[in-house]
Amino acid sequence: MDIRIVGLRKEFDRYPALHDVSLDIRSGELIALLGPSGSGKTTLLRIIAGLEMPTEGKVFFGDEDASRKTVQERNVGFVFQHYALFKHMTVGANVGFGLKVRPRATRPGAREISRRVSELLDLVQLSGLERRFPSQLSGGQRQRVALARALAIEPRVLLLDEPFGALDAKVRRELRRWLRELHDRTGHTTVFVTHDQDEALELADRVVVMSQGRIEQVGTADEVYNSPGSPFVFSFIGDSSVLPVTVSDGRLLLAGSPLALTPAHLPDGPAQLFVRPHDLVLVEDGPGVIGGRPVAVRRHNGMRRVELAVDDTSERIEVDLPGEDEASLPPRLSVAPLKARVYTDNGDSAAVTTLRTSRRPRVVGA
Amino acid sequence: MAHDAAGSARRRPVTTESPAVRVTLILVALAFLALFLLLPLVAVFDEALRAGLDAYFAALTDPDALAAIRLTLLVAAIAVPCNLVFGIAAAWAIAKYEFRGKSFLVTLIDLPFSVSPVISGMIYVLLFGAQGYLGPWLRENGIEIIFAVPGIVLATIFVTFPFVARELIPLMQEQGTGDEEAAISLGASGWKTFLYVTLPNVKWALLYGVLLCNARAMGEFGAVSVVSGHIRGLTNTMPLQVEILYNEYQFAAAFAVASLLALLALLTLAAKSFLEWRYADELSGGRRH
């Protein structure tokens, strides 16, 4: 089932939660809505489900205008952040709930319902737990019961709100892989909300990055990581540092002096240079490099992450250095970006690299 | 050594009062309880049975006493279901929806608790009495409210208004709308959501509220006294009957009827304690009547 979202706007008491959001989701796709809290991702998901009504705009399921339909009519499977399992019902009754409450004409018989329930529990690998109560299950098991319950109504679309948010890291990784397999097997169009970039990048076919009620970028994991469409996406996905620069004739000036970078075809004016810590390398001191004084060092993913107070500015940037080096750092370091991106204030951007690098292989002792 | 020291430190109570102070406090509390609660309760039953069991049952089977018992049961049988429906509706509206004037509504629900019951009764006389705002219209249409059963029912409903609602509101607010949203997303209609999801989630708090509501409905004196007119055998509830008998120096009969009310109070207390003990987690925490 395709989902088409057109010009969606949502205000809560005149406080805008979504501004003019449009998005096409292809049938069978696994989509992540990624953003910090308050970015409107959950609101968007709830509008697709029909749990919230948009102030303006429409949601189409295929060719049919779903915004005119109630939650019940939309037939979506929704998995809530805290699962919302009915705690007075057994696992079996929870999973079968959606079938049991159907109008008499379309309701399957009791035996058929219990057959479907055990089939679904097999699917989520919880066979034989029908008679347990939710309170007797672990977090990961509850999550899978919630999923089975949502799948029981044969939904046209599967929506998951922070599906792994309340689980510990190990269970989360297992469930992530398992959800991907389940999606590939059942082929439901699936949309899930997360604030965890690893989760979004690893699991989704396409990632929708959101900020302050707007979609910043839609793309595959590689696209949003390698060519972030906005300063927000660059800083939200992966680690990054930012330096204020000025564009002048395609050259980038840091604190008045030009950086040795390939030209950026951007209009003159103030801009921001974004760079990732692992894209910075040590170079010999010279014109056009970024020089600075190391002010802090910490261990990070097997590397040493050095915080550099950049000369002639009040800015600090982070640089990853090889981790095995135990030597103390020199009082000054010079670095150059292998890869960086410049964003002007009016939304233009360009990728830049260092012109010529005379790398230093490793930090030498002071 | 260190282990022993920690052990003895744990055994010492955190409170620092000396044993003498503690014993004194406990004794004061117990003495107070005995003097003001237990003694009157015993006195009620003692006075009721003073003239012997035969007189006791004769007093209870007196036609006026029977009429009062019947009326009290009737009033409770109408008022409690009304407030049950109202309480659920109000709690639902307050806990599950956002709307303007919500905090005002919450305050309003508490009004019957803060207003003297006599005033509540007077309001009804002012509204429905012969000289009241609606009096002439009611008389023309042959509807009797004041000094009749409808007035007593209305006054009782007013006074027992908050019990069910106040029991449900905090619980339903705490539970939020998650379960209901899950139910409707699975295709359940509003009614089925209420029946299968909301109601089971609040059933013990609801029962608790109904119990308190019922106890108050049967025991209400002030408001009912104003609107009833004290017509013997017609508009006297049990508390009113007790007062009349007492004023006529029929102490044994008065205490016989009173003992029934006391018995009801004891049963309510027992049922309430049982619910609190058995379903403590599911009842709204912190607030106990």
Side-chain angles (χ1 to χ4, degrees):
Chain A
M1 180 66 61
D2 292 354
I3 305 173
R4 211 145 48 80
I5 292 152
V6 186
L8 221 53
R9 201 162 60 79
K10 174 70 182 174
E11 287 173 7
F12 291 110
D13 285 339
R14 298 227 199 108
Y15 168 77
L18 287 178
H19 310 266
D20 192 31
V21 167
S22 296
L23 179 66
D24 284 345
I25 297 169
R26 293 187 283 269
S27 190
E29 226 178 357
L30 181 54
I31 290 272
L33 303 180
L34 174 66
S37 53
S39 60
K41 55 193 193 301
T42 296
T43 305
L44 179 56
L45 193 78
R46 288 171 61 86
I47 289 176
I48 298 174
L51 293 168
E52 302 279 356
M53 286 295 154
T55 311
E56 227 173 76
K58 282 184 173 165
V59 177
F60 291 93
F61 286 1
D63 292 327
E64 163 194 307
D65 185 356
S67 12
R68 294 167 174 278
K69 298 194 159 185
T70 63
V71 190
Q72 290 96 332
E73 289 164 346
R74 286 190 200 195
N75 195 28
V76 294
F78 199 105
V79 177
F80 291 83
Q81 188 175 1
H82 300 291
Y83 322 133
L85 294 180
F86 308 129
K87 45 187 177 302
H88 59 281
M89 292 183 200
T90 60
V91 166
N94 263 286
V95 175
F97 183 83
L99 300 173
K100 187 183 141 192
V101 296
R102 280 190 186 167
R104 198 175 295 269
T106 54
R107 190 191 312 156
R111 194 175 299 165
E112 169 65 9
I113 290 180
S114 88
R115 194 188 61 77
R116 292 269 301 133
V117 167
S118 60
E119 211 175 82
L120 282 159
L121 287 178
D122 285 349
L123 183 71
V124 299
Q125 300 163 359
L126 290 175
S127 317
L129 296 188
E130 280 96 330
R131 289 168 183 282
R132 295 271 190 94
F133 281 90
S135 58
Q136 298 167 311
L137 301 180
S138 71
Q141 288 174 325
R142 286 181 208 178
Q143 164 72 332
R144 283 181 281 161
V145 173
L147 196 61
R149 185 176 69 174
L151 289 172
I153 59 169
E154 290 160 28
R156 298 191 290 179
V157 177
L158 191 59
L159 306 171
L160 304 104
D161 186 8
E162 298 269 5
F164 313 115
L167 302 170
D168 62 62
K170 185 167 170 288
V171 178
R172 194 186 297 199
R173 274 195 300 277
E174 284 171 12
L175 269 181
R176 220 188 269 173
R177 200 168 314 130
W178 173 81
L179 181 68
R180 180 72 233 190
E181 283 169 20
L182 188 80
H183 173 265
D184 293 343
R185 200 153 14 122
T186 57
H188 282 105
T189 307
T190 306
V191 183
F192 73 99
V193 157
T194 180
H195 62 263
D196 181 342
Q197 45 170 304
D198 292 339
E199 205 163 281
L201 298 182
E202 184 184 320
L203 195 54
D205 294 326
R206 285 195 301 155
V207 178
V208 178
V209 186
M210 297 187 67
S211 162
Q212 299 186 340
R214 289 194 170 81
I215 293 182
E216 292 276 336
Q217 190 173 5
V218 183
T220 62
D222 288 345
E223 281 164 12
V224 293
Y225 189 80
N226 290 329
S227 26
S230 68
F232 172 81
V233 178
F234 202 114
S235 56
F236 187 69
I237 295 181
D239 298 327
S240 61
S241 300
V242 57
L243 284 172
V245 292
T246 311
V247 184
S248 162
D249 266 346
R251 287 187 313 165
L252 298 179
L253 310 178
L254 174 65
S257 45
L259 288 169
L261 295 172
T262 51
H265 302 289
L266 293 169
D268 287 1
Q272 288 176 304
L273 181 72
F274 278 80
V275 62
R276 301 200 189 279
H278 56 259
D279 286 334
L280 285 166
V281 289
L282 287 177
V283 292
E284 297 290 349
D285 198 5
V289 303
I290 303 168
R293 190 168 46 82
V295 287
V297 186
R298 58 194 159 91
R299 286 275 158 196
H300 184 81
N301 285 347
M303 305 283 276
R304 278 201 300 169
R305 178 159 290 182
V306 181
E307 205 177 315
L308 219 54
V310 178
D311 295 346
D312 307 325
T313 67
S314 57
E315 306 298 324
R316 290 185 174 191
I317 61 171
E318 289 182 327
V319 185
D320 278 352
L321 298 179
E324 67 274 17
D325 229 323
E326 287 296 329
S328 60
L329 290 166
R332 267 185 49 81
L333 285 175
S334 299
V335 295
L338 292 176
K339 234 168 57 173
R341 223 175 156 83
V342 195
Y343 296 90
T344 64
D345 293 347
N346 53 20
D348 294 324
S349 75
V352 291
T353 59
T354 295
L355 278 175
R356 47 182 197 289
T357 49
S358 49
R359 287 205 218 181
R360 286 197 298 180
R362 57 198 339 214
V363 192
V364 284
Chain B
M1 274 301 281
H3 197 83
D4 284 352
S8 67
R10 205 177 303 136
R11 273 197 295 278
R12 210 172 55 218
V14 202
T15 47
T16 48
E17 283 84 6
S18 68
V21 175
R22 266 184 288 149
V23 169
T24 314
L25 280 174
I26 292 169
L27 281 181
V28 167
L30 283 180
F32 199 83
L33 220 62
L35 196 65
F36 287 92
L37 290 174
L38 203 60
L39 202 62
L41 199 62
V42 173
V44 168
F45 288 100
D46 181 53
E47 285 290 331
L49 295 169
R50 175 158 291 182
L53 266 180
D54 291 343
Y56 179 76
F57 284 113
L60 289 184
T61 47
D62 175 75
D64 287 351
L66 278 179
I69 293 168
R70 262 200 303 275
L71 182 61
T72 299
L73 292 176
L74 175 73
V75 168
I78 299 170
V80 173
C82 281
N83 278 332
L84 176 72
V85 172
F86 164 78
I88 292 173
W92 183 284
I94 286 164
K96 313 276 176 183
Y97 300 121
E98 289 303 323
F99 55 90
R100 234 177 256 273
K102 188 159 135 173
S103 54
F104 180 66
L105 181 62
V106 176
T107 316
L108 211 61
I109 286 172
D110 277 347
L111 188 68
F113 276 168
S114 51
V115 167
S116 159
V118 179
I119 313 282
S120 322
M122 304 264 280
I123 293 166
Y124 280 99
V125 174
L126 200 66
L127 272 178
F128 303 117
Q131 272 75 47
Y133 297 125
L134 301 172
W137 184 86
L138 290 170
R139 203 170 42 239
E140 275 168 32
N141 291 279
I143 303 170
E144 259 187 303
I145 291 186
I146 299 304
F147 306 142
V149 177
I152 297 173
V153 172
L154 281 177
T156 307
I157 289 178
F158 180 84
V159 171
T160 58
F161 222 35
F163 285 99
V164 175
R166 285 205 54 122
E167 207 50 52
L168 291 184
I169 289 167
L171 181 68
M172 286 171 86
Q173 265 174 339
E174 187 194 306
Q175 287 176 345
T177 50
D179 282 12
E180 282 77 16
E181 283 182 346
I184 61 168
S185 82
L186 292 165
S189 62
W191 171 244
K192 280 184 174 162
T193 301
F194 174 73
L195 206 62
Y196 293 140
V197 175
T198 310
L199 207 55
N201 273 343
V202 300
K203 59 177 185 256
W204 296 116
L206 191 65
L207 192 60
Y208 187 85
V210 164
L211 212 61
L212 295 175
C213 182
N214 182 55
R216 182 67 192 269
M218 291 189 173
E220 174 54 27
F221 178 81
V224 169
S225 169
V226 177
V227 296
S228 107
H230 304 263
I231 305 166
R232 230 176 267 236
L234 278 181
T235 64
N236 267 351
T237 59
M238 282 161 74
L240 299 184
Q241 182 72 10
V242 172
E243 198 214 12
I244 288 181
L245 290 172
Y246 186 81
N247 286 344
E248 291 171 354
Y249 304 105
Q250 301 186 38
F251 295 132
F255 279 105
V257 180
S259 72
L260 281 186
L261 282 172
L263 212 59
L264 169 79
L266 289 177
L267 281 177
T268 306
L269 209 62
K272 175 173 163 310
S273 305
F274 174 76
L275 284 180
E276 275 174 8
W277 165 73
R278 179 72 181 74
Y279 303 102
D281 315 342
E282 295 172 48
L283 293 167
S284 54
R287 284 179 335 95
R288 290 283 168 267
H289 296 279

